[in-house]
Amino acid sequence: MSRNAPHISTTRQRWTGLAVLVLAVTVVALDATVLSLAIPSISETLRPSGTQLLWIGDSYSFVLAGLLVSMGALSDRIGRKKLLLSGATAFGAASLLAAYAPSPGWLILARALLGVAGATIMPSTLSLIRSLFPDDRERATAIGVWGAAATAGAALGPVVGGALLEHFWWGSVFLLNIPVLLLLLVFGAWLLPESRNPEPGRWDVLSVALSMTGVIGVVYAVKEGAAHGLARWDVPVTFVLGAAALTAFVRRQLWLETPLLDVRLFRDRRFTAPVTASLISLVGLSGVIFVVSQYLQLVRGYEPLQAGLAELPAFAGSVVGGLLTARAARRFGARKALTVSLLAMGLAAGTLGWFQQDTTYLLLAVSFLVTGTAEGVVYTLGADLVLSAAPADKAGAASAVSETAYELGTALGIALVGSVVGSIYANGLSVPAGASAETAARAGESLGSAVEAAHGLPAEVARPLLASAEDAFVHGMNSAGLVAGVLLVGAAGLAWRLLRGPSAPTAAEPVEVTEPQKVDA
């Protein structure tokens, strides 16, 4: 029996194994969204600066994106089941650290450790689906369920997290992970087959360091440049270092006999198109979600649970979209389904450019529903296209590329859109006379800081300060919605262009190599 394609004898065994993978993807997705509603509570308790608040939001995705390719390749080598269960154990330990973090710095560190653990889980889930479901039709349905589980986990985050925040401290949102992880460990050890590349080669540590340095360096530079401008010396320096590391990473993969990532996969447009579209679409979508969660609570005055329920149409739509993806792709074709979904996301997200403090919730709900449903199709179809285009022995690395696009897009979205909103907010805030310089500085950091600063002020000062802060924040949110809409429409055009005509040769087919003889180090 091949270790790369374990034999799953019955339909029941295959789908039971999928149920275990659903638990894994649910817990990682839940952790990505559960924090959004806790931001106001964290601002009040830990008193982070505006920059620290952004890092609390995106350090998880930064580290996750930086390590996914490395961990995907590692799963091909040591075993996908083994890495999945090891990552789940580490994820539980990091969740406990995050729940009881005493300061913003500790919380940022805990979120980064969660990203390390999450990077071991996500590529293993998708590549195990490749092993469990060799039939194309069955695998497409399984990936639809997997994608729906990812968005269902995201849906559970705000709702359950909001319920916890009604009665407990903000750290309780991280304790949601523990019971799910316990179930995953017990049933995963029992039900999942082991799967690995039978001839994996060695895991190149230098490639790991280059990919991690490159991704985090470039993303850090983009984030800090958007927030503070290009005049700071560290912005161009980290960008150049990150870009150089990524260039060296690609060159090294072309020379290695067993590369960490087979960059020739990108010669196939079926592979490149969904990866690029997912990256661009998540930049727009994740930034908007990060901002809207604050808008619902701090501008519209929703309680955490009420805000979580208000966002439910987006996440419920994502579940439906994921489940309908296989049928939509068969009926309309992958190219049309992906392009139309990206266009729908762009138009729905762009409507946020006209929302105000008193916009009726019905319009918000419709925008959320359309955005979520289209995102479910994009996420699931993109994963299926990537996995189908890659050879079976590269399943872990290919899955990691798909997840890297998703997580990197999420991180960039929070960083870019959050920084743009923060800049517009700070420039548009008008501090009334009577407020101290310390209060003005505190209020200028973020809307949450302005709300907190207003608590100790006389009513004649607090009211105009809050009104100005809300106006400035909504103006920033409007700009974020328009930027997201433009990005998503651009992603639709790119996907339509890349998926046209016959596909380029896949990575599984022989490709003429003109480079010098390869070495393994």
Side-chain angles (χ1 to χ4, degrees):
M1 183 187 306
S2 170
R3 290 179 297 173
N4 185 57
H7 178 61
I8 307 300
S9 58
T10 68
T11 300
R12 181 178 179 181
Q13 286 177 304
R14 288 196 296 274
W15 292 100
T16 304
L18 178 65
V20 176
L21 300 178
V22 162
L23 286 176
V25 73
T26 297
V27 74
V28 178
L30 183 148
D31 203 75
T33 60
V34 73
L35 188 67
S36 60
L37 293 179
I39 290 296
S41 299
I42 291 172
S43 296
E44 183 177 354
T45 304
L46 299 183
R47 297 176 178 269
S49 67
T51 300
Q52 285 178 320
L53 199 61
L54 287 177
W55 278 111
I56 289 171
D58 57 26
S59 60
Y60 173 76
S61 294
F62 278 177
V63 176
L64 191 60
L67 282 176
L68 274 168
V69 169
S70 302
M71 293 302 179
L74 183 62
S75 74
D76 288 338
R77 287 159 170 76
I78 70 171
R80 291 142 190 167
K81 174 182 175 179
K82 181 185 294 184
L83 191 64
L84 174 67
L85 298 181
S86 300
T89 303
F91 204 92
S95 296
L96 290 173
L97 178 61
Y100 296 100
S103 67
W106 275 102
L107 183 54
I108 292 170
L109 173 63
R111 293 278 290 166
L113 293 176
L114 281 167
V116 175
T120 68
I121 294 175
M122 289 302 284
S124 298
T125 61
L126 196 52
S127 53
L128 278 168
I129 289 176
R130 174 70 177 259
S131 298
L132 285 167
F133 299 93
D135 178 73
D136 290 344
R137 251 180 111 87
E138 211 174 37
R139 185 174 65 245
T141 302
I143 291 177
V145 174
W146 175 88
T151 49
L156 285 174
V159 176
V160 181
L164 286 173
L165 290 168
E166 292 282 344
H167 305 287
F168 304 102
W169 93 114
W170 59 263
S172 63
V173 300
F174 294 104
L175 300 181
L176 281 172
N177 299 331
I178 304 302
V180 181
L181 289 167
L182 290 175
L183 288 174
L184 170 61
L185 289 170
V186 171
F187 288 102
W190 175 30
L191 294 171
L192 288 177
E194 186 54 279
S195 166
R196 64 173 65 90
N197 184 350
E199 299 179 1
R202 71 185 186 88
W203 198 56
D204 186 53
V205 177
L206 180 56
S207 294
V208 174
L210 288 172
S211 66
M212 185 76 175
T213 302
V215 170
I216 292 183
V218 170
V219 172
Y220 174 86
V222 171
K223 174 183 178 298
E224 293 300 309
H228 305 293
L230 303 178
R232 284 178 31 173
W233 68 269
D234 59 324
V235 172
V237 169
T238 53
F239 181 82
V240 170
L241 289 176
L246 288 177
T247 301
F249 172 79
V250 172
R251 289 181 175 275
R252 186 168 179 80
Q253 303 320 294
L254 291 170
W255 278 82
L256 287 174
E257 184 177 347
T258 53
L260 195 68
L261 170 65
D262 187 356
V263 294
R264 292 177 181 80
L265 289 170
F266 287 94
R267 291 181 176 177
D268 186 353
R269 292 197 301 270
R270 293 177 305 164
F271 186 90
T272 304
V275 169
T276 307
S278 296
L279 174 65
I280 297 174
S281 66
L282 263 298
V283 169
L285 184 64
S286 63
V288 167
I289 291 174
F290 180 76
V291 171
V292 167
S293 295
Q294 298 178 67
Y295 162 78
L296 291 173
Q297 292 183 77
L298 299 176
V299 176
R300 297 182 72 96
Y302 289 6
E303 294 297 323
L305 177 57
Q306 188 182 8
L309 293 173
E311 292 182 7
L312 198 56
F315 297 111
S318 295
V319 174
V320 173
L323 293 173
L324 293 178
T325 299
R327 181 179 298 178
R330 284 195 297 268
R331 181 169 182 179
F332 303 108
R335 184 191 189 199
K336 186 177 292 184
L338 184 63
T339 303
V340 170
S341 297
L342 287 167
L343 279 175
M345 285 176 68
L347 294 176
T351 60
L352 290 175
W354 287 269
F355 286 169
Q356 299 299 320
Q357 290 94 323
D358 56 352
T359 299
T360 175
Y361 173 72
L362 180 60
L363 291 178
L364 284 169
V366 171
S367 176
F368 290 167
L369 180 62
V370 174
T371 302
T373 304
E375 189 271 339
V377 175
V378 171
Y379 180 59
T380 307
L381 183 56
D384 188 28
L385 288 171
V386 166
L387 204 59
S388 299
D393 60 355
K394 305 286 186 184
S399 304
V401 172
S402 176
E403 288 304 317
T404 298
Y406 185 85
E407 296 300 336
L408 186 57
T410 300
L412 280 171
I414 293 174
L416 279 174
V417 177
S419 298
V420 168
V421 172
S423 177
I424 294 174
Y425 166 82
N427 291 330
L429 179 67
S430 176
V431 180
S436 65
E438 180 182 355
T439 298
R442 180 68 178 161
E445 291 180 354
S446 67
L447 178 57
S449 298
V451 171
E452 182 187 349
H455 285 164
L457 298 176
E460 62 271 15
V461 178
R463 279 196 297 268
L465 175 62
L466 286 176
S468 176
E470 290 175 0
D471 286 341
F473 183 86
V474 169
H475 181 54
M477 185 187 73
N478 294 155
S479 300
L482 293 174
V483 169
V486 170
L487 286 172
L488 289 161
V489 171
L494 185 63
W496 181 260
R497 179 177 177 81
L498 287 176
L499 290 174
R500 74 191 189 284
S503 175
T506 68
E509 298 171 352
V511 178
E512 181 181 355
V513 178
T514 58
E515 292 87 354
Q517 184 178 1
K518 295 176 171 54
V519 295
D520 199 21

